[in-house]
Amino acid sequence: MTHNQEITPKFHPEITPPLEELEAQERRLVFRQFTHDDAWALGSLLVELARERQAPVAIDIHRAGQQLFHAALPGSAPDNDAWIARKRRVVERYGSASYLVGARCRAKGTTFEESSRLDPDEYAAHGGSFPITVEGVGVIGAVTVSGLPQLQDHRFVVEALEQFLEL
């Protein structure tokens, strides 16, 4: 190997999935009900998956303004809790996944910050917060992960919801 050869592979950022795919996830990942026990079980599943992958994440589940689950795994930091709050507020305000809200803005050639005019210290349309939607009721809360790149945070939550809902 010569001195100038790279030893590590180049980073290739992931491409945003089509809006239709992101919207289909929301239509598919719907609960019949969502109880305190469901929050504990879903949160525990997320922790188990994160530990298997040694993912340095914080995990949060809120329902109707109440925190029902929170865990911070090794490698996570207080900043992850701040990101969780900002991403969760986007879900609460728009009723859609934080990643989808940001992707819709990008598809229109703008940014969430420009189009929403909301305080970026309070709202972040970055991936990782997904609405908890109950059949016949609507969005009642959010499950949020922070600590990975935003698309990976989003996909991690979606994967856990698919397992939890057995889809």
Side-chain angles (χ1 to χ4, degrees):
M1 179 184 303
T2 67
H3 181 66
N4 292 336
Q5 284 181 307
E6 292 185 47
I7 339 178
T8 56
K10 289 188 178 188
F11 174 72
H12 296 288
E14 294 189 75
I15 298 187
T16 300
L19 292 178
E20 298 77 27
E21 179 183 326
L22 297 169
E23 290 165 347
Q25 291 170 348
E26 289 191 0
R27 288 190 299 274
R28 201 168 32 88
L29 299 172
V30 175
F31 293 82
R32 288 205 166 139
Q33 64 176 10
F34 193 79
T35 66
H36 287 76
D37 290 339
D38 292 325
W40 180 260
L42 176 58
S44 298
L45 172 61
L46 282 157
V47 167
E48 179 184 327
L49 292 171
R51 283 187 174 148
E52 286 173 5
R53 298 165 192 188
Q54 298 179 338
V57 297
I59 298 161
D60 180 87
I61 299 176
H62 265 69
R63 183 189 70 180
Q66 181 183 20
Q67 185 178 52
L68 300 183
F69 186 92
H70 183 82
L73 278 73
S76 66
D79 281 352
N80 296 120
D81 291 330
W83 276 100
I84 282 171
R86 293 168 60 214
K87 293 189 278 189
R88 186 187 71 246
R89 285 186 195 106
V90 169
V91 172
E92 291 168 347
R93 184 174 185 112
Y94 292 91
S96 287
S98 55
Y99 191 77
L100 174 56
V101 172
R104 284 176 174 152
C105 293
R106 288 187 297 277
K108 292 177 184 173
T110 186
T111 66
F112 173 75
E113 294 77 14
E114 290 171 351
S115 64
S116 73
R117 301 180 53 108
L118 294 170
D119 183 349
D121 290 336
E122 297 293 320
Y123 294 86
H126 290 255
S129 192
F130 201 90
I132 297 170
T133 305
V134 174
E135 238 174 63
V137 178
V139 176
I140 62 158
V143 53
T144 310
V145 169
S146 176
L148 305 171
Q150 66 168 327
L151 183 53
Q152 290 177 31
D153 275 347
H154 175 80
R155 287 185 171 154
F156 186 58
V157 172
V158 167
E159 178 188 343
L161 286 169
E162 288 171 342
Q163 281 188 36
F164 188 81
L165 294 168
E166 298 178 347
L167 298 176

